[in-house]
Amino acid sequence: MNILLLVFFLSGACALAYQIIWIRLFGLIFGGTTLSMSVVIAVFMGGLAIGSHVIGKYAAKVSNRVRLYGILEIVLGIVAAVLFFGIKHLAKLIYVLPFNHGIHTISGIGVRFILSALLLLVPTMIMGGTLPVLLRALTDDKKKIIVNTSLLYAVNTLGAMSGAFVVGVILIRFIGVTGTNMLAAAVNVVMGAIALLVSGRFESTPDPVEKNVSVIHSGGDSRWLWYVVTLGITGFAGLTLEMVWMRMMLLVYNNTTYLYTIVISVYLLGIGLGGFLMRVAVPDRFRTERLFGILLGLTALAALAGFFAFPAITGKAMYSGNELYSTFMRLSVLTAVVFTLIGFVPVLLMGLSFPLGLGLYAREVVGLSQRVGFIYAVNTAGSLFGSLAAVFVLIPTIGITGTMVFCALLFSVPSAYFLATSLGAKKRITVLAASAAALVFFVSLSYSVGIPRSILSRRLMHSEYIEYLREGPSSTIWISSGAPFRKIWVDNLWVSSTSTEGTHALLAHYPLLFHDNPKDICGIAFGTGQTFGTCLLYPIDHITSVEIDAEIIKACKGRFTDENYGILEDPRNTVVIDDGRFFLQGTDQKFDVITAEPLQPYTRGTVNLYSYEFYVACRQALNPGGIVAQWLPVYNSGVDDSWSMIRTFAEAFDYVYLFLNGNDGILLGSQDPMQMDPERQVPGEAIEDMRRVNNGSLYALAANYICSRDDLLKMTADYPVITDDMPSLEFTAPISHWNEDVTAEVEIRKQFVSLTSDNAHIVKGDVNKDRLATYNTSRQLLNKAFYAERTGAVAEAQKLYEQALRGNPADLRARDSIFYFLKKYGLEDKLSMDLRKYFTKPSGE
């Protein structure tokens, strides 16, 4: 039996590996929208449910169920290997379908569901069928049903936990998606072969044929129906709670692949340990309906208690001192501790209650695989509907708090039933009254803590307040107002603001000014709409604004009109709610300019917009002479990550320029030579906008130039290209962000300065060479001053800032830089006399 437990453990690990890989692959094909991913998850869990019921029923007719199990594992490994390449080639089909656009349309949802089902149905059915087959193979005494159910459930779940952790932390990062999938497939085949080798020890006779699983409901006993309903409800509530807990954690921690891995690993650990505890810590005489009811009730109370405690726990963890989370490892441990404190107890209780309820329902050995398959299918179907309802109905409608309370009530109803039917009249009234009082108490506490507003308010400065807050399907979108500027947030992440730092605007100015006659524009990632709105200042015909989250557009409508030049009301703009990469790969439109400003690369899933395949999709969607502009988040990335992002971009285009605007890099790429005419006639509104962001002339823009493609490729020769198969950035960016954020920002600026080369080849026309040289000098001095300041050489920094301003008093960035530098260090009275007349922001260049 021990060898089969090892096999079943590794089977669980492989199942989670496949789930992670398939969701990742389908995200690349269908787009990473919440709806697209939900379709895939629904198909996955639906296949588990169907397989559990169908294969469980078939297993009752088989004499050697271990042999059947071994065959299932081998077939799963083979199918998984073949399926991997089938999914990757699915893109060739979906992009030629007549309804390949519009995931939010009925036809779009339907085609994705059908294609997902065609590919995933067989392997997911096999996965779903393994538990009932192996349980029946190892159980020949009805007294062992609950014990064996608990053991197998625990072993498989702990295997799934191990798979989630190893895949999410190690395998995809180091051996890639293909390598991880092939390794899992090989493990399945080997484990299946082992099961076949030992199957001779487990010969038995087939069960007598049962007409239908419903025969156990005969005799007018409604308890069996209650078990079916309850295990369906617990599946629904369990997955819904997982969604709620993830949304709660996102209010405090950034949405990285490691956060997801930590939460799912702790969740599965609790489920698995609960199964073991049922086997080793609960005597047989206590494995009763009464205990089942108690566990369900305690699950409801524990979930509410953790919810109430969440603000206090995270306040202590995250706001009592930076030393607790100053490195990535400390932050990861802290994340695991916080989720353990709020969610581990209810998850452990669910791990105890599920095998108990399943065992009490199954009751007899004869027909065990059929009944287990049926009830496991019911539970899985409940999980399926719970995941969908949480995302699309519950959280958007009643919020995180309301959804948590609703889940507690779902656990409480069957708890009350099983307690009521297992207790005497006097005890029944007392226990139910006490339980109801406790439930009301914790529900009241849950509403009193004001999640998510109370958590998000911690991110505000004293002068700020929450102007807008909306709990959407995939995230909590909110806007903060007040000094120093307004910001739009996705959960815990500040994604855009109305500051005059300028990169938002320059991601429009640069490509439009380097293009001779831009008319059709595509923007990826709306934010506050400033980048896309800036495009309207030029004589363009049309812009397509692609945003993955519809809640972002709702939040911005009417709230950032001044900053984004009313783009949401402009007839030249069309908003498309979709994954930006999927849109470009599937559209037949061609664009003169594509500008992309995705989230920071450490956010989960965003690596798809920093990959080589994304840039190829951009390249293929360009008209001749078209230009792609991409944000390079220098200040949020490690040195290696920055160079890896740059190399990936440079490999995709024949002509590439790197510009540096303060702490942000901007990459321009094209298949044709790019030049800008500094004497070009630019609309007055565009010039005013350039002044607003401290680049009030085309000469100033040209002076931000660092170097071109050849130099970038030489510099990055030893850095990896980011691809779909090797998405290294998603794993390294969170680590480098927390471990070396400030030092990396300083070091990369130093390396950029050392790479800075002549920019004469990027300009054309009647160029004022003296003016160009003057701006080049002032910007180089500003970069050197930044490095000196950040390395503690304050006096040297002041000297360099003064040289930049003295050499080019018209440079708005030089004026602003010295202004804030002197204020920061209290050196206003130390400014040279000849520069004091410039110690205010100028109105123009």
Side-chain angles (χ1 to χ4, degrees):
M1 183 174 177
N2 289 337
I3 189 67
L4 289 178
L5 292 179
L6 174 61
V7 168
F8 204 44
F9 176 89
L10 293 173
S11 176
C14 292
L16 252 291
Y18 293 139
Q19 183 179 12
I20 293 170
I21 291 169
W22 294 342
I23 289 175
R24 179 182 288 271
L25 291 179
F26 276 106
L28 297 174
I29 297 169
F30 292 165
T33 64
T34 302
L35 185 53
S36 291
M37 293 297 92
S38 298
V39 168
V40 177
I41 293 172
V43 170
F44 187 94
M45 301 188 76
L48 294 179
I50 296 171
S52 175
H53 180 51
V54 173
I55 297 177
K57 190 173 182 178
Y58 173 76
K61 308 172 186 178
V62 177
S63 61
N64 194 318
R65 298 172 184 93
V66 172
R67 182 180 297 122
L68 172 60
Y69 175 80
I71 293 171
L72 290 174
E73 289 287 348
I74 292 173
V75 172
L76 176 59
I78 295 171
V79 170
V82 175
L83 176 64
F84 178 80
F85 298 101
I87 296 175
K88 295 189 74 172
H89 287 88
L90 182 62
K92 296 179 181 179
L93 171 63
I94 193 170
Y95 296 138
V96 300
L97 291 174
F99 29 72
N100 61 348
H101 306 301
I103 178 61
H104 298 272
T105 64
I106 294 177
S107 62
I109 296 171
V111 71
R112 285 156 180 77
F113 185 86
I114 292 171
L115 291 173
S116 301
L118 289 174
L119 288 171
L120 295 184
L121 191 60
V122 171
T124 53
M125 284 181 63
I126 293 173
M127 291 179 192
T130 54
L131 175 62
V133 170
L134 198 56
L135 177 61
R136 179 63 185 93
L138 300 179
T139 306
D140 55 10
D141 184 348
K142 68 178 183 179
K143 293 181 180 180
K144 296 181 180 180
I145 291 177
I146 294 177
V147 171
N148 287 350
T149 300
S150 302
L151 179 62
L152 289 176
Y153 184 63
V155 166
N156 193 247
T157 303
L158 291 175
M161 180 272 293
S162 302
F165 184 82
V166 173
V167 170
V169 174
I170 301 172
L171 291 183
I172 293 180
R173 176 181 176 184
F174 291 105
I175 67 174
V177 178
T178 301
T180 301
N181 189 87
M182 294 303 109
L183 176 61
V187 170
N188 274 135
V189 172
V190 171
M191 293 303 102
I194 292 174
L196 290 179
L197 288 174
V198 302
S199 63
R201 310 175 196 172
F202 297 91
E203 286 289 347
S204 61
T205 58
D207 292 339
V209 177
E210 293 185 310
K211 294 180 181 180
N212 192 292
V213 76
S214 63
V215 294
I216 64 171
H217 302 315
S218 61
D221 191 346
S222 62
R223 288 178 302 168
W224 307 116
L225 179 60
W226 268 97
Y227 278 117
V228 174
V229 172
T230 298
L231 290 173
I233 286 175
T234 55
F236 180 99
L239 253 292
T240 301
L241 279 177
E242 183 182 343
M243 299 289 182
V244 170
W245 284 323
M246 180 61 73
R247 291 289 293 268
M248 290 167 61
M249 296 296 287
L250 287 173
L251 298 176
V252 180
Y253 302 99
N254 290 334
N255 183 16
T256 68
T257 189
Y258 295 108
L259 173 63
Y260 176 82
T261 299
I262 289 169
V263 170
I264 196 65
S265 297
V266 173
Y267 184 94
L268 292 171
L269 176 64
I271 293 286
L273 289 181
F276 267 123
L277 285 176
M278 178 54 64
R279 179 177 184 270
V280 302
V282 180
D284 183 64
R285 67 181 183 276
F286 291 131
R287 297 173 188 148
T288 62
E289 291 182 352
R290 182 181 301 179
L291 178 61
F292 188 50
I294 291 171
L295 291 173
L296 294 174
L298 290 176
T299 302
L301 296 179
L304 290 173
F307 187 82
F308 169 70
F310 183 67
I313 292 171
T314 53
K316 182 68 174 176
M318 298 298 293
Y319 296 93
S320 61
N322 289 342
E323 69 279 357
L324 290 176
Y325 57 96
S326 56
T327 67
F328 172 76
M329 186 57 68
R330 290 179 182 177
L331 179 69
S332 299
V333 172
L334 189 62
T335 303
V337 169
V338 168
F339 182 64
T340 299
L341 290 174
I342 68 167
F344 189 76
V345 172
V347 170
L348 184 73
L349 291 168
M350 284 189 277
L352 281 161
S353 62
F354 176 74
L356 175 61
L358 190 151
L360 290 172
Y361 171 85
R363 201 169 55 157
E364 298 291 340
V365 172
V366 173
L368 178 61
S369 64
Q370 185 177 357
R371 286 190 292 273
V372 169
F374 170 74
I375 202 66
Y376 186 60
V378 169
N379 182 261
T380 305
S383 300
L384 185 162
F385 289 112
S387 63
L388 295 177
V391 171
F392 296 110
V393 180
L394 294 175
I395 293 177
T397 303
I398 60 178
I400 293 173
T401 303
T403 305
M404 172 62 72
V405 170
F406 179 68
C407 289
L409 294 175
L410 288 179
F411 280 107
S412 300
V413 172
S415 170
Y417 170 81
F418 284 107
L419 286 175
T421 57
S422 62
L423 294 170
K426 292 183 179 180
K427 287 185 178 180
R428 182 186 308 167
I429 295 174
T430 302
V431 170
L432 292 181
S435 300
L439 183 65
V440 170
F441 175 73
F442 279 109
V443 166
S444 301
L445 290 180
S446 297
Y447 277 104
S448 70
V449 294
I451 296 175
R453 185 174 291 269
S454 63
I455 302 295
L456 297 176
S457 295
R458 298 170 179 167
R459 301 285 290 157
L460 302 178
M461 300 171 66
H462 293 301
S463 57
E464 294 179 305
Y465 62 93
I466 297 178
E467 173 188 341
Y468 171 92
L469 190 151
R470 163 75 176 165
E471 295 177 77
S474 59
S475 54
T476 301
I477 307 297
W478 57 294
I479 297 172
S480 61
S481 291
F485 37 74
R486 298 166 72 214
K487 308 167 190 172
I488 189 166
W489 305 70
V490 175
D491 296 316
N492 182 53
L493 181 63
W494 161 17
V495 298
S496 188
S497 74
T498 58
S499 73
T500 57
E501 147 287 318
T503 302
H504 298 308
L506 296 185
L507 280 165
H509 287 302
Y510 270 114
L512 268 67
L513 290 170
F514 271 93
H515 196 285
D516 291 334
N517 188 29
K519 293 299 180 182
D520 292 305
I521 317 297
C522 178
I524 307 295
F526 191 82
T528 53
Q530 294 176 81
T531 299
F532 306 166
T534 302
C535 295
L536 300 176
L537 303 179
Y538 293 83
I540 68 170
D541 292 338
H542 185 261
I543 179 169
T544 302
S545 301
V546 184
E547 170 57 47
I548 196 170
D549 194 337
E551 297 299 329
I552 290 283
I553 303 298
K554 293 178 184 177
C556 290
K557 202 169 184 66
R559 291 184 174 85
F560 293 97
T561 303
D562 291 341
E563 292 82 6
N564 63 31
Y565 300 102
I567 187 170
L568 292 177
E569 289 76 37
D570 196 291
R572 291 173 291 171
N573 175 56
T574 299
V575 174
V576 174
I577 304 300
D578 213 334
D579 179 275
R581 172 171 163 175
F582 173 73
F583 171 79
L584 290 177
Q585 289 176 324
T587 185
D588 54 5
Q589 293 177 257
K590 297 294 183 181
F591 303 98
D592 298 314
V593 166
I594 298 173
T595 181
E597 191 177 5
L599 295 177
Q600 284 86 347
Y602 58 75
T603 57
R604 182 169 173 257
T606 306
V607 67
N608 297 338
L609 299 182
Y610 290 97
S611 68
Y612 178 79
E613 289 84 355
F614 171 64
Y615 298 134
V616 169
C618 290
R619 188 180 71 201
Q620 293 173 345
L622 289 175
N623 285 317
I627 296 174
V628 173
Q630 171 83 10
W631 176 50
L632 180 67
V634 173
Y635 64 90
N636 267 326
S637 306
V639 174
D640 292 353
D641 293 334
S642 294
W643 287 120
S644 188
M645 286 187 282
I646 291 170
R647 183 189 172 192
T648 303
F649 189 90
E651 290 282 358
F653 299 97
D654 290 343
Y655 297 88
V656 175
Y657 298 152
L658 170 64
F659 296 89
L660 184 65
N661 178 59
N663 294 329
D664 294 288
I666 295 174
L667 288 162
L668 294 186
S670 180
Q671 294 305 97
D672 300 288
M674 298 178 288
Q675 285 187 305
M676 178 177 62
D677 184 357
E679 299 300 324
R680 173 179 174 179
Q681 291 298 312
V682 179
E685 298 93 335
I687 292 293
E688 284 299 318
D689 189 78
M690 290 160 57
R691 290 195 183 105
R692 177 182 65 84
V693 297
N694 297 325
N695 286 277
S697 73
L698 276 66
Y699 287 93
L701 292 180
N704 290 329
Y705 173 80
I706 300 298
C707 61
S708 298
R709 183 175 187 265
D710 289 345
D711 291 333
L712 293 175
L713 289 177
K714 290 177 184 177
M715 182 67 187
T716 60
D718 295 329
Y719 294 94
V721 173
I722 303 158
T723 65
D724 292 344
D725 194 58
M726 293 293 293
S728 55
L729 183 67
E730 187 171 26
F731 300 90
T732 59
I735 299 174
S736 58
H737 171 64
W738 281 101
N739 285 353
E740 55 174 358
D741 186 21
V742 176
T743 56
E745 177 187 346
V746 174
E747 179 60 27
I748 198 71
R749 287 280 287 270
K750 177 184 177 182
Q751 294 183 16
F752 281 177
V753 170
S754 68
L755 272 180
T756 302
S757 58
D758 181 69
N759 62 357
H761 65 287
I762 73 169
V763 295
K764 64 180 179 179
D766 189 14
V767 179
N768 185 328
K769 294 183 179 179
D770 291 338
R771 190 179 182 193
L772 183 63
T774 299
Y775 269 99
N776 289 344
T777 300
S778 66
R779 293 299 166 98
Q780 291 172 25
L781 287 169
L782 291 177
N783 285 329
K784 292 178 180 178
F786 170 88
Y787 179 77
E789 179 187 349
R790 291 302 180 91
T791 54
V794 177
E796 175 67 14
Q798 181 176 351
K799 179 180 177 182
L800 291 167
Y801 280 128
E802 289 186 355
Q803 287 181 10
L805 182 57
R806 187 174 289 112
N808 189 8
D811 189 346
L812 303 180
R813 186 165 295 282
R815 295 189 181 198
D816 249 18
S817 296
I818 197 168
F819 178 88
Y820 289 114
F821 170 81
L822 295 174
K823 288 195 68 173
K824 178 180 179 180
Y825 293 99
L827 298 173
E828 292 95 328
D829 59 342
K830 302 295 184 181
L831 183 65
S832 300
M833 291 297 296
D834 64 314
L835 298 178
R836 294 198 174 185
K837 60 183 177 181
Y838 303 122
F839 193 54
T840 58
K841 285 189 179 182
S843 59
E845 291 188 28

